[in-house]
Amino acid sequence: MMERTKGEPEHRPPPYLPQPGDELPAQPGGSMDPIGPWATGRVTFTPKDGLTGVRPVHDRYSVTQFGAPQWRAHNLKFFQQSSEKIRDAQLAIHKAKECVNRSYREADKTQLETTDHLKKRAADVHRWKIELEHVIFEITKEIELLEAQRRRVKLSLSVLTVPESIAGEFLQLRSKRLESDLIRDEVEEELTKEVALCSEIRDLLIRTREQIEVQLIELKAAKARMEVDWSDKTDAYRIDSRCMQLKNDSPVILWKLGATRFPAEQSTPESYEHYTRESLTDAEIARQKSVTLRSTLDGIYTNSIKDLRDQATRVDLALGTKIKLTEEVRVQLEKELLRCLHELANTEKAIEELRHSARGLDCAMKVAQTRLAERLKRCNVESCRDIPQFALVEEVKMLNERTSAMLAELKRAEETQAGLVKARSDLEREIVVKRKTLFIDKQRGQLLRSFYPSAATLSGF
């Protein structure tokens, strides 16, 4: 409101504002010089008069549209309008300040809440990243262990050729035995079993090596997937950490048009957690399969090596028994050969004695026959069949029988001698056969078996 003029009563409004009585109808106060009653129209004019078509009072110099009350009312209207606009401006300024303060408070509060959300998200990402690092470390360790097992299997396959070659070569050596000892004995059966066992273990190790290679591919794929995920989470954690540190006075903040868009390829928290858990689950499943495969491989090694060593022991025992039995046979054959040679010598001596004895009876036969021939020269009655005659005939008969008997015994002795010679030849040949067998089994076979690999070597260590 405008200030009042000094000396003016306080209860009266300023003269340029509506006065008491302005609401009453206007009364003509006399002539108005140029403006008088003679003018067409009326002295007073209101906006209502203008709307009704009543023309205002006018003369040569002016057109009177309003009266003094309207003028004062018009002034009041402007003062009221100004006061109203000032109040509106003050209210607008007050509301603007409150809006600014409220906006700053809400912006600060929202920024703090967003920072807290970023901290929680960064903590979640860091937690998943640490868990991925742990699983990646376990997978890497498992890959190294499985690689070691693969190298172990490869080495075992190369070492397995040694017992297989030993058994095969020993079978070839035993095929060179001479006829009588070329039999399918226990040693050959055990060697055949050993070759078959080596072949079975080789096939089993080859299948296990293929499984290991497949498992290695699966482990490396899981590791690569987790490493990519870990790299993404590392970048996300670095970005979120940098976003947490941004302030209103940070020098790197800029206008970023289109920053509020949602890319179509963005994941949801549920899909994010599902993907990470799926990666961890797949990696753990692959690791557990690898652990199971390594345990299975250890069991295969334990059983296979035990079977190989047991079979090698059975072969060695059968070979030792066979060598011992062949040694005994050879010793007995050599003893029998000595006895045969001794008996052959006795037989040859007996033959000589029989021949000499048969020649000794010739003189007695000659004497008897000479006596008979001389007695046949007796004449006439002297040629008598007397007792000496009959005795000489019996003597010749007995000497013929004894000579025939001795000749028969001589023939039998000569046949026996031939049999002994043949037996000696057979014994000598059989001794050669046994010595050949002993050479193959003992000198060659046991020497070859001494190169049989140990359990540690067969295990790939």
Side-chain angles (χ1 to χ4, degrees), residues 70-81:
Q70 285 80 17
W71 180 74
R72 288 190 292 269
H74 181 72
N75 293 337
L76 179 63
K77 183 183 70 172
F78 279 98
F79 282 112
Q80 290 176 348
Q81 181 181 358

Side-chain angles (χ1 to χ4, degrees), residues 314-333:
R314 285 192 289 269
V315 171
D316 293 338
L317 289 176
L319 182 60
T321 302
K322 182 66 175 179
I323 290 173
K324 183 178 179 181
L325 185 61
T326 307
E327 284 278 5
E328 292 179 359
V329 173
R330 182 186 62 81
V331 170
Q332 294 300 324
L333 286 174

Side-chain angles (χ1 to χ4, degrees), residues 279-381:
S279 299
L280 294 173
T281 302
D282 293 344
E284 184 63 24
I285 291 174
R287 193 182 72 84
Q288 289 298 329
K289 287 172 64 177
S290 177
V291 171
T292 304
L293 182 58
R294 288 193 295 108
S295 300
T296 304
L297 182 60
D298 291 337
I300 290 174
Y301 269 115
T302 301
N303 297 329
S304 300
I305 292 170
K306 182 178 181 299
D307 293 341
L308 278 175
R309 294 305 305 178
D310 291 345
Q311 184 62 32
T313 302
R314 285 192 289 269
V315 171
D316 293 338
L317 289 176
L319 182 60
T321 302
K322 182 66 175 179
I323 290 173
K324 183 178 179 181
L325 185 61
T326 307
E327 284 278 5
E328 292 179 359
V329 173
R330 182 186 62 81
V331 170
Q332 294 300 324
L333 286 174
E334 289 178 351
K335 290 181 179 179
E336 190 67 22
L337 178 61
L338 290 175
R339 198 164 67 88
C340 182
L341 291 174
H342 180 70
E343 193 62 31
L344 183 60
N346 292 335
T347 303
E348 290 177 351
K349 183 177 180 182
I351 289 173
E352 290 295 329
E353 290 178 355
L354 284 173
R355 287 175 180 172
H356 182 71
S357 297
R359 286 193 298 269
L361 289 178
D362 290 344
C363 294
M365 179 65 74
K366 290 178 182 179
V367 170
Q369 289 179 358
T370 301
R371 286 177 177 177
L372 284 173
E374 289 296 328
R375 284 177 66 84
L376 288 176
K377 294 178 180 179
R378 289 178 299 170
C379 298
N380 298 323
V381 73

